[in-house]
Every structure is written in structure tokens, then in C-alpha cells.
Amino acid sequence: MATIQDIGVSAAINILSAITFLLAFAFLRLQPINDRVYFPKWYLKGARESPSHGGAFVRKFVNLDMRSYLKVLSWMPAALKMPEDELISHAGLDSAVYLRIYLIGLKIFAPITVLAFIILVPVNWTNTTLQSSKVQHSDIDKLSISNIPVGSKRFAAHLTMAYVFTFWTCYVLLREYEIVATMRLRFLASEKRRPDQFTVLVRNIPPDPDESIGELVEHFFLVNHPDHYLTHQVVYNANKLDKMVKEKKKMQNWLDYYQLKYERNTSQRPTTKTGFLGCFGSKVDAIEYYTSEIERIEKEETDERGKIMKDPKSVVPAAFVSFRSRWGAAVCAQTQQTSNPTVWLTEWAPEPRDVYWDNLSIPFVYLTIRRLIIAVAFFFLNFFYVIPIAFVQSLANIEGIEKAAPFLKPLIEMHTIKSFIQGFLPGIALKIFLILLPSILMFMSKVEGLTSVSSLERRSAFKYYIFLFFNVFLGSIIAGSALEQLKTFLHQSANEIPRTIGEAIPMKATFFITYAMVDGWAGVAGEILRLKPLIIFHLKNFFLVKTEKDREEAMDPGSIGFDSNEPQIQLYFLLGLVYAVVTPFLLPFILIFFGLAYVVYRHQIINVYNQEYESAAAFWPSVHGRIIVALIVSQLLLLGLLSTKGAAQSTPVLLVLPVVTFYFYKYCKNRYEPAFVEYPLQDAMRKDTLERAREPGFDLKGYLMNAYIHPVFKGDEDDEKFSISDEPEAEQVLVATKRQSRRNTPVPSKYNGSESPSLAEILLRCAFAAGRSKSGAKRENEERND
């Protein structure tokens, strides 16, 4: 079990690592050769030019201005200087609201930390319960609730602080929800015209024997949305073609590499092997080989394009339908289109760069099966991950390592090594263990069939949060505490075990302290260094880059990584709220994480990250909900902990908190969440009216025509073949269709299930109903006059 001295060793290692990363970043960012690594966002915006264009040869690579090295920390105030409105304009609302998550952490935990250290730490410290207990403990544990004797009246302080912390957290969450909802509505109202504002994604289009998917979509929306339908773009299954395009790009990179290699040494032609990874097979001329491979792929690509254009089976039962106004799109996206709720399913289309094209070709009926399979797989992933988590916990203490490797006992008993193992090893072991998990969860989310990158990241973040909650939080507490107190458990009666667990759970705060320092201090500082993108950029720049365009493509600005970073932040909220009353000593470590992460990620968002999409902070309800979950969990755990400490009379008092917190969540959900789910028709109409007044002659159809063409067709000379070119006439009443009339169809269509009246019958019925309503109104007026 880690002592204060062990925590000090871990803090020294992590602080030294963080300072090293920050100093290395401060030096590397000043070098002209690294400019595209640490400021790629400005290059993508065209607001920055490469410093290697002019000056002495050495200055193209090294910064010789000694005065600039004196301002190694100038990036910190520069990152904090940009106002939030300018940040939204520069990086988008998603990035600005993401930063507010760190601000919420500071707002919640700064006052909580002060109160906890003023009130709870003295209350816990001034007892001798653990000294007379058989439970293993350290000096840190004397600052926790475990040091309060059973049935003590001092628990009143913890109950009072639980109420104070709950109400303060709810107040901050309420204010932030209101602010973010207002920011979203203001952003949507002021946002420039985008294709997704006018477009709806339609899925599960029922097949028809008489019409193609494109004709069926046009007919359906001309009939049901005659005044607002503008155009549509059917979705093609171009996944095979997309793989060919990526393969050709890969081959082109190899060709560029060998051509550059040959230009540097024309005396010898480069060679390669045709087998696996270029290590096996026959040796051939590399330039000729990759040139022939590119020509082969281009031929296959041309054939595949022709097949897609001619084969009706290449068209999937989905389409992007665009409308003349935002109001028309909002009505379609937010209403049920037919009496059958399983067909003609509509939702807001993601913006074009947010579309995940691979999943649009998945038949809608398979999605439920896929999600069921992934749910089962995710359950087993969580279940089996408990085993290695327990193994890591067993090695994260001295006794576990000595049992696993007795020959290491003399080395482990050395004071410095012992402090390193107990204070640093548990956190770094868990950090390494979780490296591959986000990629696994993202793959599982893709298999589920979600159609946008933003929804994939939100779903993956949800899975990651569930995993961290059950395995990292609960798994570490239960497994770690049980292993550390195993000897005590075996030598006491069964009635005493719950009390021992109640005393042992707060002691796992030392493990989370080491993890917070490894992940939250050194890890965040390592993020700003960007060591991996730095190495990859220079490798590409040396081996592949020929032109400025190639150099721009070699940049890897990356993105926020919402799917992996947001659940990690939520883990800190969970730890902070759970241990605020139980072990307040953990709070300063979490507070430092939120402060450092806010500065680092603000700098990265301004200068580095290029966000792949803009969802207008659609993720905020889930962020709010997870903090509420953490708050309720902290209340329930405190309730269970006090029940083992002879404070059962406090149960009714504490039971009020989860109930109040849940109803607070319901209030926020009903009051603010609709702003993140639906688009108000009033706002849509207002924006449409203003836009028509400002640009009355704008060609909206030309703007939307090719917005949702698959990226492999972008820039094609055949773009027109993948789009609809005939604009429907506004005055058209009867819509031309290839479908035969039901009266002339000998057998009811198997795709429609039940017989329906023809369009002519519908028009006659409408005219008859209108005539009846007019005659009824006339009789009513005559009766009133009489």
C-alpha cells in the first residue's frame, strides 16, 4: 500500500516528466522545420506560410533568434487570450464546448477542495481508529473517512458536506446546461448556409417493382412534400471502389518514394520484392512495378465505376433528400412519413464531411441484429477484462509481486524501488493496459452501423465510459481492496467482512492518485509534445514529399478525440465526486489535471486540431448525464459506506440526495435537451426568411446538387450521372410515375402489404371532403342567421 513517501516519489517522477515534455515542446515549436507539426491548423486555413521560403539556409531549419528562447512559456497566455466567441469562429462550437468540460471540473472541484480540506481533513485526521485496527493502512488513509470510529457523531460533518457538494454540483451543471443550450441556438441561428441544414437522410426505402430507388424517392416526396422538395441524391454502395482508391493512393506513395530515391542516386535503379510487406517474393524494378500496379488498379477502378452506374443493385435503399427551405427539412426530419413506422425513416443528414459512407450500404433490417451482437460482445469484453485488471492490481502491491516472483524480493525491498513500484507502477500499468481499448470500441461502434463520424464517436465514448466505470473504477476498488486485505478477511468472522470492506474502499484512493498523476499530469503534457506526429511528419517529408501540396498532406493535425478523451474526463469527475467526502486528499490531484488539461487542449484546439465535423455541441446532454451518474454513484457509495460504520440512522437523510439529484436530471432533460435534439420550426422559418431577403436569387439547387456524392466520385467528370438534374415544377399536381394503377394490377404488391387507393381516388376524395365541409359551413351560417 502506497505511503505518503511513495506518492511523493510518483509525484516527482510525473512532475519531472511533465516539465520535460513542456520544455521539449517549447524548444521544438520554435524550430522552422517543425512549424507544420505544431501549427497545422493555421496552414490549413491559409493563414500561415512555411518559414523555410526565404532567408539563410540554416534559418530554414533552426531558429537562431536567441530572444525567442527566453519566452518558453509564452504559449500559455497566448492560448488563454483568445475570447470564446473568436474561438467558436476559429475552431467551431464543438471545440469551444468541449473545453467547457474542463472549466466545469475547475468550477466544481475548486470550492469543494477548499471546503474538504478546511472541514473534513481535520475531522478525519484527529482520530486514532486505524492505528488500533488490523486493516493495512498508511498515513494518507488517516485523512479519509476510514479513520472515523464506528458510530461516531463526527459523521454529521460528512453528511453536511455531502449535501453541500451535491447542491453546488447541481448548480454548476444547471448554469452550464443553460449556457451551452444558448450557445448552440445562437450558433445555429448565426451559422452560414450548409448542405445539412436543408437535407434529410431517408433510410429503409421500400422497394417497388415498377420504379428504381431514385424514381421512387422523387415520386414519394413530390407527392408528400410538394411545396418543399427540391432534389435528392441516392446512395451507392461504393465500398469496393473506395478500397481501390485507397489502394491506389498507397501505391502512389510508394512510387513517389522510389522516384525520389532514384533522383537522389541515378546510378542505381531501386528494387523491391513483390511478396508480403516487400520482404518476400521475386525482386523487381520498384518504379516499373508500382507504375504497373497503379495502371492495373486504375483499370479495375474504371470498370467498377461503370458497374456502379449501370447495376441497379449498387443503389442502396437510402437517399439524401434536400428541400427548398430549412423549415421544410425540419418538418420532414422530425415527423413520421407513413403509417408504417418501419419504412421511409427520416433523420437529419450529417454534414457531408461527417458522413461515414461505409455504413450507408448496410441494409436497415440488419442493424438490430448487429447491435445485439455488439451488445453481447461488449458484455463479454467487460467481463473478461476483469481478469487482467485483477492481475494488474495484484502486481501493483509489494506482496503480489513478491509472491509472483520471489527471486526479486531483495531488489523490491530496496527503499527507492519499493517507492517506485507502489507510487508509480500501478498508474502506468493501467495506462498501458488501456491504450488499445478506444480502437477496439470504435471498431465495435462501426459494426453497429452508425452513419456519421460524430455518432460513432459518441457511441464509442459511451462504451468507453461504461468500461471505465465497471472495470477501472469498481473493478480496481473491489479487486484491489480484496487482495490487499485478503489476510484480514481470512482471519475474521463473516460478519466482520462488510465492515472491513467499508474501511478498505477509501484506501484505494492511493491507486487513483498514482493514475491521476500518470494520465492527468504526464499524459496531458505529453499530448502537447505530439511526438508521434512529429516523427511521422519528418519521415514523410524526407521520403515522400515533392511539392507543397504533398507537404500539406503529410501534416497530421488530428482532432480532439472525443471518443477516448471525454470518457477519461468523466472518470476524473467520478473519482472527484466519490472521494470528495471519503478521501479528500485525492482532490488536489484532480484539480491540477483539470487546470493543466484546459490550458493544453485550448492551445491544441487553436493551433493544431482540425475537427472532422461540427455537431453544434450535440454531445452535451450525454456529458451532463454522465456527471449526474457520477454524483448519484458517489451518494450511494457514501450511503453504503456509512452503513458499515454504524451510522445507519443517517440512511434516511442520505436517501434524499439520489432522489433529488434524479429529479434535477429530469428537469434539465425536459428543459434543455430538446434544443440538442430538435430544430425549432420558428428558428428555421426566421433564418429562411432572412436568407431569402438577403439573397433572393441564390441557386440553392446548384448548391445542394452534388453535396452528398460519395467522396470517390468527387471531382469526377461523371458527377452529373450521380445526381438528379430535373427540377420538379412548382405547379405540378399529378406526379408522373412508372408505377401501375392498383385497379390494373392483378395481384396486390408484396411490398405494400395492403391495397391503397390510387392518386386519382385520393384527389376525388379530397375534393368531395372539401365540398362537404363548405356545405356544412353554409348550413351552420344559415342556422345562426335564423
Side-chain angles (χ1 to χ4, degrees):
M1 181 172 292
T3 63
I4 289 182
Q5 189 170 1
D6 298 335
I7 297 298
V9 171
S10 178
I13 294 173
N14 286 289
I15 290 173
L16 184 61
S17 300
I19 292 175
T20 302
F21 292 150
L22 294 176
L23 290 177
F25 161 73
F27 174 79
L28 292 173
R29 66 185 282 270
L30 296 175
Q31 310 311 314
I33 196 174
N34 299 325
D35 206 53
R36 288 180 178 270
V37 177
Y38 294 110
F39 301 96
K41 192 179 188 73
W42 297 102
Y43 281 93
L44 294 175
K45 284 179 169 287
R48 195 180 183 98
E49 294 183 356
S50 178
S52 62
H53 282 312
F57 178 77
V58 178
R59 291 182 181 273
K60 295 180 180 180
F61 303 98
V62 181
N63 185 358
L64 299 179
D65 183 6
M66 295 296 108
R67 291 176 297 178
S68 61
Y69 292 99
L70 300 177
K71 302 177 181 178
V72 291
L73 298 179
S74 61
W75 62 271
M76 288 188 176
L80 299 173
K81 190 182 297 182
M82 182 178 285
E84 189 171 58
D85 290 340
E86 186 178 345
L87 180 65
I88 293 173
S89 177
H90 173 70
L93 185 64
D94 280 345
S95 299
V97 172
Y98 175 81
L99 288 174
R100 294 196 73 90
I101 304 177
Y102 296 108
L103 278 181
I104 287 182
L106 292 173
K107 291 179 181 179
I108 289 177
F109 290 113
I112 286 179
T113 302
V114 173
L115 281 176
F117 270 78
I118 291 176
I119 298 175
L120 294 181
V121 169
V123 170
N124 296 335
W125 178 260
T126 55
N127 283 281
T128 58
T129 303
L130 289 177
Q131 292 181 1
S132 58
S133 173
K134 297 180 181 179
V135 177
Q136 285 187 329
H137 66 277
S138 66
D139 290 339
I140 295 176
D141 300 319
K142 294 179 181 179
L143 302 175
S144 72
I145 198 172
S146 297
N147 202 31
I148 304 294
V150 175
S152 173
K153 294 183 179 179
R154 294 193 177 199
F155 287 122
H158 300 83
L159 290 175
T160 304
M161 287 297 100
Y163 268 84
V164 171
F165 296 166
T166 295
F167 288 137
W168 171 248
T169 303
C170 289
Y171 171 76
V172 173
L173 290 176
L174 180 65
R175 292 285 302 139
E176 286 298 319
Y177 215 148
E178 182 179 2
I179 291 171
V180 174
T182 304
M183 290 171 65
R184 173 180 166 87
L185 293 176
R186 190 188 304 124
F187 178 79
L188 293 175
S190 61
E191 193 178 23
K192 294 180 180 179
R193 183 188 294 111
R194 289 193 332 192
D196 54 294
Q197 298 170 354
F198 300 87
T199 307
V200 169
L201 174 59
V202 184
R203 306 190 71 187
N204 208 26
I205 300 171
D208 192 282
D210 302 315
E211 292 183 325
S212 66
I213 294 294
E215 293 167 338
L216 187 60
V217 169
E218 183 179 24
H219 175 251
F220 180 87
F221 284 94
L222 280 173
V223 170
N224 297 288
H225 298 267
D227 298 328
H228 302 284
Y229 167 75
L230 180 60
T231 184
H232 73 274
Q233 175 60 57
V234 295
V235 178
Y236 294 86
N237 185 355
N239 291 349
K240 185 177 179 181
L241 179 61
D242 187 41
K243 291 179 181 178
M244 291 180 181
V245 172
K246 292 177 180 177
E247 180 68 17
K248 185 176 74 172
K249 186 176 181 181
K250 178 182 175 183
M251 293 293 177
Q252 186 64 51
N253 286 337
W254 279 112
L255 179 60
D256 292 342
Y257 164 70
Y258 284 114
Q259 285 177 338
L260 281 173
K261 184 177 181 180
Y262 180 63
E263 289 172 4
R264 290 165 183 162
N265 182 16
T266 56
S267 62
Q268 184 179 2
R269 297 276 293 184
T271 59
T272 187
K273 292 185 177 181
T274 58
F276 181 69
L277 294 177
C279 300
F280 305 95
S282 58
K283 184 179 289 187
V284 296
D285 184 284
I287 296 177
E288 292 179 358
Y289 172 73
Y290 284 109
T291 301
S292 63
E293 285 294 299
I294 291 173
E295 291 175 353
R296 177 185 61 80
I297 295 174
E298 285 178 345
K299 184 178 182 303
E300 293 178 356
E301 184 182 330
T302 303
D303 295 340
E304 182 65 19
R305 287 176 187 269
K307 180 182 177 182
I308 291 174
M309 292 165 57
K310 295 175 183 177
D311 188 3
K313 294 182 180 179
S314 297
V315 182
V316 301
F320 292 98
V321 180
S322 298
F323 294 82
R324 300 178 185 275
S325 63
R326 296 173 181 82
W327 190 92
V331 170
C332 181
Q334 297 167 185
T335 55
Q336 182 174 312
Q337 301 304 304
T338 69
S339 57
N340 184 351
T342 63
V343 297
W344 295 104
L345 303 178
T346 57
E347 59 184 89
W348 279 107
E351 58 177 327
R353 60 177 177 165
D354 188 23
V355 178
Y356 188 70
W357 294 95
D358 290 355
N359 283 351
L360 284 175
S361 60
I362 300 174
F364 190 82
V365 293
Y366 293 166
L367 295 182
T368 302
I369 300 173
R370 282 170 168 258
R371 287 167 186 169
L372 177 61
I373 293 173
I374 291 301
V376 174
F378 181 64
F379 169 79
F380 282 106
L381 179 69
N382 273 276
F383 180 79
F384 286 111
Y385 250 76
V386 173
I387 299 172
I389 284 283
F391 177 73
V392 169
Q393 286 293 327
S394 69
L395 296 181
N397 59 80
I398 298 299
E399 293 79 8
I401 296 176
E402 289 178 347
K403 289 178 182 177
F407 61 91
L408 293 177
K409 186 173 181 179
L411 179 65
I412 292 174
E413 290 299 329
M414 295 176 61
H415 186 73
T416 304
I417 301 297
K418 187 175 182 179
S419 296
F420 173 81
I421 291 173
Q422 291 189 322
F424 184 74
L425 183 61
I428 194 66
L430 182 59
K431 179 71 175 175
I432 294 172
F433 186 67
L434 296 175
I435 286 177
L436 294 178
L437 187 63
S439 299
I440 297 172
L441 297 179
M442 176 56 75
F443 171 77
M444 296 175 74
S445 299
K446 289 178 179 178
V447 173
E448 285 185 289
L450 300 173
T451 56
S452 66
V453 177
S454 57
S455 60
L456 283 172
E457 290 199 348
R458 289 197 294 271
R459 182 64 63 87
S460 183
F462 170 74
K463 291 184 177 70
Y464 197 13
Y465 176 74
I466 294 295
F467 181 90
L468 292 176
F469 179 80
F470 283 103
N471 284 278
V472 175
F473 178 67
L474 291 182
S476 296
I477 286 177
I478 295 173
S481 299
L483 288 170
E484 287 179 0
Q485 309 300 333
L486 185 60
K487 183 177 180 180
T488 305
F489 291 166
L490 295 176
H491 293 83
Q492 66 181 191
S493 64
N495 295 333
E496 295 295 319
I497 291 178
R499 179 174 297 176
T500 304
I501 293 177
E503 294 177 342
I505 285 177
M507 300 177 190
K508 288 308 297 177
T510 55
F511 168 76
F512 292 118
I513 287 173
T514 63
Y515 178 74
M517 287 188 289
V518 171
D519 178 72
W521 296 9
V524 170
E527 173 66 24
I528 203 171
L529 182 59
R530 307 198 75 224
L531 189 59
K532 180 181 175 182
L534 177 69
I535 296 172
I536 292 175
F537 172 77
H538 286 302
L539 288 175
K540 288 183 176 180
N541 194 35
F542 183 78
F543 290 113
L544 299 176
V545 169
K546 290 182 177 180
T547 64
E548 282 297 315
K549 184 179 179 182
D550 294 336
R551 187 170 286 107
E552 183 174 312
E553 291 179 354
M555 293 189 304
D556 180 21
S559 61
I560 291 172
F562 182 84
D563 58 314
S564 57
N565 285 335
E566 192 270 344
Q568 291 278 13
I569 303 172
Q570 293 293 345
L571 178 62
Y572 288 101
F573 277 107
L574 178 64
L575 295 176
L577 291 172
V578 166
Y579 283 99
V581 176
V582 175
T583 309
F585 188 73
L586 178 67
L587 292 175
F589 299 90
I590 291 177
L591 202 58
I592 292 173
F593 159 74
F594 280 113
L596 179 62
Y598 176 73
V599 177
V600 166
Y601 279 96
R602 206 172 201 275
H603 173 274
Q604 298 296 83
I605 285 171
I606 292 173
N607 298 297
V608 181
Y609 297 147
N610 185 41
Q611 194 65 6
E612 298 178 7
Y613 57 85
E614 178 56 64
S615 68
F619 56 81
W620 189 257
S622 57
V623 172
H624 173 86
R626 286 167 197 154
I627 299 176
I628 291 293
V629 168
L631 188 59
I632 292 177
V633 167
S634 69
Q635 296 159 354
L636 295 177
L637 288 180
L638 180 62
L639 180 65
L641 181 59
L642 291 181
S643 66
T644 67
K645 303 285 286 184
Q649 67 275 10
S650 65
T651 299
V653 180
L654 272 178
L655 275 177
V656 175
L657 286 180
V659 176
V660 171
T661 305
F662 176 75
Y663 276 98
F664 167 76
Y665 167 74
K666 294 292 292 183
Y667 167 77
C668 291
K669 182 180 178 67
N670 295 331
R671 173 63 181 85
Y672 298 111
E673 189 171 317
F676 296 85
V677 178
E678 309 290 351
Y679 187 36
L681 295 181
Q682 182 185 30
D683 293 354
M685 180 61 73
R686 183 186 298 118
K687 196 168 180 64
D688 288 333
T689 304
L690 289 173
E691 200 167 83
R692 289 194 197 101
R694 292 170 181 169
E695 302 177 76
F698 181 76
D699 181 14
L700 184 60
K701 184 174 182 180
Y703 174 72
L704 297 172
M705 180 70 71
N706 297 329
Y708 284 94
I709 289 180
H710 196 291
V712 296
F713 303 126
K714 287 286 186 180
D716 246 20
E717 59 184 6
D718 296 325
D719 267 359
E720 301 82 21
K721 298 177 183 178
F722 294 90
S723 59
I724 302 300
S725 58
D726 297 326
E727 185 172 358
E729 297 292 336
E731 66 275 13
Q732 190 173 6
V733 178
L734 295 178
V735 180
T737 175
K738 293 182 180 179
R739 186 188 291 110
Q740 300 295 320
S741 170
R742 292 302 172 87
R743 295 181 196 170
N744 301 326
T745 304
V747 181
S749 172
K750 64 179 180 179
Y751 299 105
N752 295 285
S754 61
E755 191 172 329
S756 302
S758 66
L759 181 61
E761 289 177 321
I762 294 175
L763 294 174
L764 287 172
R765 290 179 185 178
C766 292
F768 179 69
R772 290 188 60 186
S773 61
K774 288 182 179 178
S775 61
K778 184 176 180 181
R779 285 198 304 270
E780 186 177 347
N781 290 334
E782 290 176 354
E783 291 174 358
R784 288 178 180 174
N785 292 333
D786 293 340

